[in-house]
Amino acid sequence: MAVVYEKPKSLSDAPLHYCPGCTHGIIHKLVAEVLDELKIEGKTVGVAPVGCAVMAYDYFTCDMVQAPHGRAPAVATGLKRALPDQVIFTYQGDGDLAAIGTAETVHAATRGENITIIFVNNAIYGMTGGQMAPTTLPGQVTQTTPYGRDIHTAGFPVRVCEMLSTLDGVAYAERVSVDCVPNIRKAKAAIKKAFTAQIEKKGFSIVEVVSSCPTNWGLTPTEALQWLRDNMLPYYPLGVYKDKTEEGVR
Amino acid sequence: MAERVLMKGNEAMAEAAIQAGCRHFFGYPITPQTEVSAYLSKRFPKIGGTYLQAESEVAAINMVLGAASAGVRAMTSSSSPGISLKSEGISYLAGSDLPCVILNVMRGGPGLGGIQPSQADYWQATRAPGHGDFQVLVFAPSTVQEMVDTIFRAFDKADEYRMPAMILADGMLGQMMEPVSFPEGKADTQKEKPWAANGHGFKRKQNVINSLYLNPAVLEQKVRERFERYAQIQKTEQMAEEFMMEDADFAVVAYGASARIAKSAVVAARAEGIKVGLVRPITLWPFPTDALQKAAAQVKGFLCVEMSMGQMIDDVKLAISCSRPVAFFGRTGGIIPTPGEVLGEIKKLAGGAK
Ligand SMILES: Cc1ncc(C[n+]2csc(CCOP(=O)(O)OP(=O)(O)O)c2C)c(N)n1
Ligand code: SF4
């Protein structure tokens, strides 16, 4: 019988600890499929964040390093400088990447560090129980913005792809979503392109994945995906923000 | 014998790192460690090494963490305020059982403090280089030659015990010029690192570098295993110099730059007929308890001399279980004690007795 679907080899058999309906699982699968298709699992080192994906090392079967909160791009830089021919990626949430780790993110990007970042933007701090994230939308209710994010006191959300695309070191920045099958397909293509750019030493690559956190948004999985479409996509438009994957950044 | 060259302490440490096989340095500028970075930024591009000026000390230590995870010898250097920023990373390095070398060319504190030599980070290095139950190896050289030798030893011991090693120097040693020679053929003492996360190539199982253990029983077990290693280190890795201790009735205890001053004071006191010697810790962790206990069996009292308000004195008292009086003399904020001042304190301790 022909095999029509298989779990990617770069994903272990460990049961995922993510909440039901959480999109982290889909994103893990896409990354693992890309590692399989590019045949790079054996030469890849992944960097896990502090956030819901902290135990990504249990799921990805490549070598893994668990980084301090926000420091994954610096850890990845150290790995890449020591292993210039291996493939290095980080997998980070929005608090990790765009709050505590903003400096590490921006500087890895501007150095044109030849690494790939998978950035999971779910507009909230999932792991710690749903506090405001740097990407929390204006008016969005979280545990620490109980009256909705007030732009007068809490300021505005960070649009990471737009910000990073101004930097010369960035070869590829695309924002995708995993809210529906067509978008999941596009997300996978983007992730593959980002890893390919790294393999070809074109510079820094980032794929921002707009995702959901049904648990802390207080919605069912399907409601959460609809909320994502209605609220997040208008603020975080999908698309390619930077593409220098042909010519490279240097 | 290897050729002797005149070098500044900071540059000598940088050259020693290269010769010890280190090809990865990550740092952020700060006085008074400047020459370490400047030297490596000049040399590394020519020999295929990585010199990377990070965006902060936080980033630099995490780059060290990444490079160390990959299995290479990695180093960072900084001075007091920068070491504070590195403490998060140092804790993760220790919790992930990663080797690396960290230089702290100490300056006066707290806060921005000053840029003159100090030894006020002793507690930080030996008690709390970061959060959690752990230690790092701490070395305190007191000559430029010893700085060189210590770098080799620090890399070797860090690899051997899979833990960070810190070298506590200060602005005075860093700037001082002395003749040094480099041990020949020492660069390839590096251990195999089968645990490194460098791509499994389908030839071995997955390697994970991690400090997270959500199960308290497992975490406790991990910490206990580390402390068994620490106990072994405390047995075998203590280092101290004993100077004029054979017949001493009193002992000065000092490390690093203040030990140089103390040595002059001891020589001057001897000239005046006072039977005093010096115990100079070379490892601050593990603290050379054995040498202190040996001295305690012989002397009537100790004088601890530091460029701080008195930090190592705690370890001196602990080492000898307060069995002898321990006096203290220190200058802080970047002021270096003079041999004359220390001589005065030795005389006080000896009670004018010959
Ligand atoms: C230095 C430090 N500060 C705070 C925390 C607590 N903490 C753990 S995860 C997290 C936020 C994670 O949110 P995000 O990066 O958005 O990832 P998500 O959990 O939503 O996937 C915080 C604040 C920590 N572990 N370390
Ligand atoms: S808390 Fe949110 S982000 Fe975390 S696993 Fe649950 S649904 Fe996913």
PDB file of all heavy atoms in Angstrom, chain A residues 24 50-53 69 93-96 100 122 124-128, chain B residues 88, ligand 1:
ATOM      1  N   HIS A  24       1.478  25.445  17.895  1.00  0.00           N
ATOM      2  CA  HIS A  24       2.892  25.053  18.020  1.00  0.00           C
ATOM      3  C   HIS A  24       3.137  23.701  17.344  1.00  0.00           C
ATOM      4  O   HIS A  24       4.175  23.500  16.705  1.00  0.00           O
ATOM      5  CB  HIS A  24       3.291  24.942  19.499  1.00  0.00           C
ATOM      6  CG  HIS A  24       3.863  26.204  20.083  1.00  0.00           C
ATOM      7  ND1 HIS A  24       4.982  26.831  19.565  1.00  0.00           N
ATOM      8  CD2 HIS A  24       3.496  26.939  21.175  1.00  0.00           C
ATOM      9  CE1 HIS A  24       5.264  27.903  20.304  1.00  0.00           C
ATOM     10  NE2 HIS A  24       4.374  28.003  21.283  1.00  0.00           N
ATOM     11  N   VAL A  50      12.877  29.891  25.878  1.00  0.00           N
ATOM     12  CA  VAL A  50      12.071  29.748  27.090  1.00  0.00           C
ATOM     13  C   VAL A  50      10.689  30.258  26.711  1.00  0.00           C
ATOM     14  O   VAL A  50      10.536  31.370  26.229  1.00  0.00           O
ATOM     15  CB  VAL A  50      12.661  30.535  28.267  1.00  0.00           C
ATOM     16  CG1 VAL A  50      11.712  30.485  29.458  1.00  0.00           C
ATOM     17  CG2 VAL A  50      14.019  29.958  28.644  1.00  0.00           C
ATOM     18  N   GLY A  51       9.711  29.407  26.892  1.00  0.00           N
ATOM     19  CA  GLY A  51       8.353  29.680  26.439  1.00  0.00           C
ATOM     20  C   GLY A  51       7.697  28.320  26.316  1.00  0.00           C
ATOM     21  O   GLY A  51       8.282  27.302  26.728  1.00  0.00           O
ATOM     22  N   CYS A  52       6.520  28.271  25.712  1.00  0.00           N
ATOM     23  CA  CYS A  52       5.853  26.967  25.623  1.00  0.00           C
ATOM     24  C   CYS A  52       6.698  25.947  24.873  1.00  0.00           C
ATOM     25  O   CYS A  52       6.577  24.750  25.107  1.00  0.00           O
ATOM     26  CB  CYS A  52       4.484  27.127  24.959  1.00  0.00           C
ATOM     27  SG  CYS A  52       3.284  27.796  26.135  1.00  0.00           S
ATOM     28  N   ALA A  53       7.569  26.422  23.987  1.00  0.00           N
ATOM     29  CA  ALA A  53       8.375  25.483  23.185  1.00  0.00           C
ATOM     30  C   ALA A  53       9.695  25.120  23.865  1.00  0.00           C
ATOM     31  O   ALA A  53      10.604  24.593  23.227  1.00  0.00           O
ATOM     32  CB  ALA A  53       8.635  26.078  21.805  1.00  0.00           C
ATOM     33  N   HIS A  69      16.103  32.637  28.373  1.00  0.00           N
ATOM     34  CA  HIS A  69      14.960  33.385  27.814  1.00  0.00           C
ATOM     35  C   HIS A  69      15.442  34.550  26.938  1.00  0.00           C
ATOM     36  O   HIS A  69      16.088  35.476  27.436  1.00  0.00           O
ATOM     37  CB  HIS A  69      14.127  33.912  28.993  1.00  0.00           C
ATOM     38  CG  HIS A  69      12.749  34.381  28.632  1.00  0.00           C
ATOM     39  ND1 HIS A  69      12.097  34.031  27.471  1.00  0.00           N
ATOM     40  CD2 HIS A  69      11.883  35.175  29.318  1.00  0.00           C
ATOM     41  CE1 HIS A  69      10.899  34.599  27.453  1.00  0.00           C
ATOM     42  NE2 HIS A  69      10.743  35.298  28.561  1.00  0.00           N
ATOM     43  N   GLY A  93       9.189  32.202  20.815  1.00  0.00           N
ATOM     44  CA  GLY A  93       7.916  32.901  20.956  1.00  0.00           C
ATOM     45  C   GLY A  93       8.108  34.406  20.911  1.00  0.00           C
ATOM     46  O   GLY A  93       9.233  34.910  20.814  1.00  0.00           O
ATOM     47  N   ASP A  94       6.992  35.135  21.020  1.00  0.00           N
ATOM     48  CA  ASP A  94       7.078  36.596  20.871  1.00  0.00           C
ATOM     49  C   ASP A  94       7.672  37.281  22.097  1.00  0.00           C
ATOM     50  O   ASP A  94       8.374  38.275  21.974  1.00  0.00           O
ATOM     51  CB  ASP A  94       5.710  37.191  20.516  1.00  0.00           C
ATOM     52  CG  ASP A  94       4.581  36.548  21.292  1.00  0.00           C
ATOM     53  OD1 ASP A  94       4.637  36.571  22.537  1.00  0.00           O
ATOM     54  OD2 ASP A  94       3.652  36.001  20.661  1.00  0.00           O
ATOM     55  N   GLY A  95       7.402  36.739  23.277  1.00  0.00           N
ATOM     56  CA  GLY A  95       8.025  37.328  24.468  1.00  0.00           C
ATOM     57  C   GLY A  95       9.523  37.105  24.418  1.00  0.00           C
ATOM     58  O   GLY A  95      10.324  38.012  24.677  1.00  0.00           O
ATOM     59  N   ASP A  96       9.898  35.886  24.056  1.00  0.00           N
ATOM     60  CA  ASP A  96      11.301  35.508  23.968  1.00  0.00           C
ATOM     61  C   ASP A  96      12.040  36.363  22.938  1.00  0.00           C
ATOM     62  O   ASP A  96      13.098  36.926  23.223  1.00  0.00           O
ATOM     63  CB  ASP A  96      11.359  34.020  23.576  1.00  0.00           C
ATOM     64  CG  ASP A  96      12.707  33.378  23.832  1.00  0.00           C
ATOM     65  OD1 ASP A  96      12.996  33.052  24.992  1.00  0.00           O
ATOM     66  OD2 ASP A  96      13.466  33.196  22.860  1.00  0.00           O
ATOM     67  N   ILE A 100      12.263  40.279  25.835  1.00  0.00           N
ATOM     68  CA  ILE A 100      13.527  40.098  26.560  1.00  0.00           C
ATOM     69  C   ILE A 100      14.707  39.874  25.618  1.00  0.00           C
ATOM     70  O   ILE A 100      15.839  40.211  25.945  1.00  0.00           O
ATOM     71  CB  ILE A 100      13.380  38.946  27.589  1.00  0.00           C
ATOM     72  CG1 ILE A 100      14.526  38.961  28.605  1.00  0.00           C
ATOM     73  CG2 ILE A 100      13.245  37.593  26.928  1.00  0.00           C
ATOM     74  CD1 ILE A 100      14.260  38.078  29.828  1.00  0.00           C
ATOM     75  N   ASN A 122       2.052  34.571  18.872  1.00  0.00           N
ATOM     76  CA  ASN A 122       0.686  34.265  19.305  1.00  0.00           C
ATOM     77  C   ASN A 122       0.113  35.382  20.185  1.00  0.00           C
ATOM     78  O   ASN A 122      -0.873  35.199  20.884  1.00  0.00           O
ATOM     79  CB  ASN A 122       0.606  32.898  20.010  1.00  0.00           C
ATOM     80  CG  ASN A 122       1.514  32.839  21.234  1.00  0.00           C
ATOM     81  OD1 ASN A 122       2.045  33.856  21.679  1.00  0.00           O
ATOM     82  ND2 ASN A 122       1.684  31.663  21.784  1.00  0.00           N
ATOM     83  N   ILE A 124       0.767  36.650  22.894  1.00  0.00           N
ATOM     84  CA  ILE A 124       0.589  36.455  24.338  1.00  0.00           C
ATOM     85  C   ILE A 124       1.762  35.653  24.895  1.00  0.00           C
ATOM     86  O   ILE A 124       2.493  35.008  24.148  1.00  0.00           O
ATOM     87  CB  ILE A 124      -0.753  35.719  24.612  1.00  0.00           C
ATOM     88  CG1 ILE A 124      -1.275  36.040  26.019  1.00  0.00           C
ATOM     89  CG2 ILE A 124      -0.616  34.201  24.403  1.00  0.00           C
ATOM     90  CD1 ILE A 124      -2.772  36.000  26.109  1.00  0.00           C
ATOM     91  N   TYR A 125       1.950  35.750  26.222  1.00  0.00           N
ATOM     92  CA  TYR A 125       2.904  34.876  26.898  1.00  0.00           C
ATOM     93  C   TYR A 125       2.150  33.608  27.262  1.00  0.00           C
ATOM     94  O   TYR A 125       1.354  33.602  28.201  1.00  0.00           O
ATOM     95  CB  TYR A 125       3.440  35.535  28.179  1.00  0.00           C
ATOM     96  CG  TYR A 125       4.510  36.584  27.967  1.00  0.00           C
ATOM     97  CD1 TYR A 125       4.730  37.150  26.720  1.00  0.00           C
ATOM     98  CD2 TYR A 125       5.325  36.990  29.026  1.00  0.00           C
ATOM     99  CE1 TYR A 125       5.719  38.097  26.534  1.00  0.00           C
ATOM    100  CE2 TYR A 125       6.317  37.937  28.843  1.00  0.00           C
ATOM    101  CZ  TYR A 125       6.506  38.485  27.596  1.00  0.00           C
ATOM    102  OH  TYR A 125       7.484  39.420  27.413  1.00  0.00           O
ATOM    103  N   GLY A 126       2.383  32.548  26.505  1.00  0.00           N
ATOM    104  CA  GLY A 126       1.644  31.313  26.749  1.00  0.00           C
ATOM    105  C   GLY A 126       2.089  30.628  28.028  1.00  0.00           C
ATOM    106  O   GLY A 126       1.282  30.352  28.920  1.00  0.00           O
ATOM    107  N   MET A 127       3.368  30.392  28.125  1.00  0.00           N
ATOM    108  CA  MET A 127       3.874  29.523  29.174  1.00  0.00           C
ATOM    109  C   MET A 127       3.574  30.020  30.581  1.00  0.00           C
ATOM    110  O   MET A 127       3.291  29.243  31.487  1.00  0.00           O
ATOM    111  CB  MET A 127       5.375  29.344  29.017  1.00  0.00           C
ATOM    112  CG  MET A 127       5.923  28.241  29.903  1.00  0.00           C
ATOM    113  SD  MET A 127       7.686  28.353  30.002  1.00  0.00           S
ATOM    114  CE  MET A 127       8.090  26.657  30.354  1.00  0.00           C
ATOM    115  N   THR A 128       3.660  31.331  30.761  1.00  0.00           N
ATOM    116  CA  THR A 128       3.488  31.868  32.106  1.00  0.00           C
ATOM    117  C   THR A 128       2.028  32.179  32.426  1.00  0.00           C
ATOM    118  O   THR A 128       1.733  32.784  33.450  1.00  0.00           O
ATOM    119  CB  THR A 128       4.359  33.129  32.294  1.00  0.00           C
ATOM    120  OG1 THR A 128       4.310  33.883  31.088  1.00  0.00           O
ATOM    121  CG2 THR A 128       5.782  32.757  32.608  1.00  0.00           C
TER     122      THR A 128
ATOM    123  N   GLU B  88      23.630  35.524  34.371  1.00  0.00           N
ATOM    124  CA  GLU B  88      22.571  34.631  33.884  1.00  0.00           C
ATOM    125  C   GLU B  88      23.174  33.509  33.039  1.00  0.00           C
ATOM    126  O   GLU B  88      22.921  32.318  33.262  1.00  0.00           O
ATOM    127  CB  GLU B  88      21.564  35.416  33.035  1.00  0.00           C
ATOM    128  CG  GLU B  88      20.495  34.544  32.400  1.00  0.00           C
ATOM    129  CD  GLU B  88      19.762  35.233  31.242  1.00  0.00           C
ATOM    130  OE1 GLU B  88      20.437  35.715  30.312  1.00  0.00           O
ATOM    131  OE2 GLU B  88      18.530  35.263  31.260  1.00  0.00           O
TER     132      GLU B  88
HETATM  133  C1  LIG C   1      14.798  35.601  32.702  1.00  0.00           C
HETATM  134  C2  LIG C   1      13.426  35.057  32.700  1.00  0.00           C
HETATM  135  N1  LIG C   1      12.380  35.897  32.870  1.00  0.00           N
HETATM  136  C3  LIG C   1      11.126  35.410  32.869  1.00  0.00           C
HETATM  137  C4  LIG C   1      10.891  34.070  32.703  1.00  0.00           C
HETATM  138  C5  LIG C   1       9.477  33.554  32.745  1.00  0.00           C
HETATM  139  N2  LIG C   1       8.920  33.216  31.429  1.00  0.00           N
HETATM  140  C6  LIG C   1       8.930  31.956  30.983  1.00  0.00           C
HETATM  141  S1  LIG C   1       8.226  31.803  29.464  1.00  0.00           S
HETATM  142  C7  LIG C   1       7.875  33.452  29.417  1.00  0.00           C
HETATM  143  C8  LIG C   1       7.138  34.059  28.256  1.00  0.00           C
HETATM  144  C9  LIG C   1       7.063  33.213  27.081  1.00  0.00           C
HETATM  145  O1  LIG C   1       6.237  33.769  26.141  1.00  0.00           O
HETATM  146  P1  LIG C   1       6.514  33.662  24.593  1.00  0.00           P
HETATM  147  O2  LIG C   1       7.949  33.911  24.318  1.00  0.00           O
HETATM  148  O3  LIG C   1       5.568  34.559  23.911  1.00  0.00           O
HETATM  149  O4  LIG C   1       6.274  32.127  24.228  1.00  0.00           O
HETATM  150  P2  LIG C   1       4.947  31.252  24.327  1.00  0.00           P
HETATM  151  O5  LIG C   1       4.983  30.650  25.704  1.00  0.00           O
HETATM  152  O6  LIG C   1       3.771  32.133  24.118  1.00  0.00           O
HETATM  153  O7  LIG C   1       5.116  30.224  23.278  1.00  0.00           O
HETATM  154  C10 LIG C   1       8.327  34.097  30.554  1.00  0.00           C
HETATM  155  C11 LIG C   1       8.142  35.525  30.803  1.00  0.00           C
HETATM  156  C12 LIG C   1      12.019  33.225  32.541  1.00  0.00           C
HETATM  157  N3  LIG C   1      11.908  31.898  32.392  1.00  0.00           N
HETATM  158  N4  LIG C   1      13.264  33.737  32.535  1.00  0.00           N
END
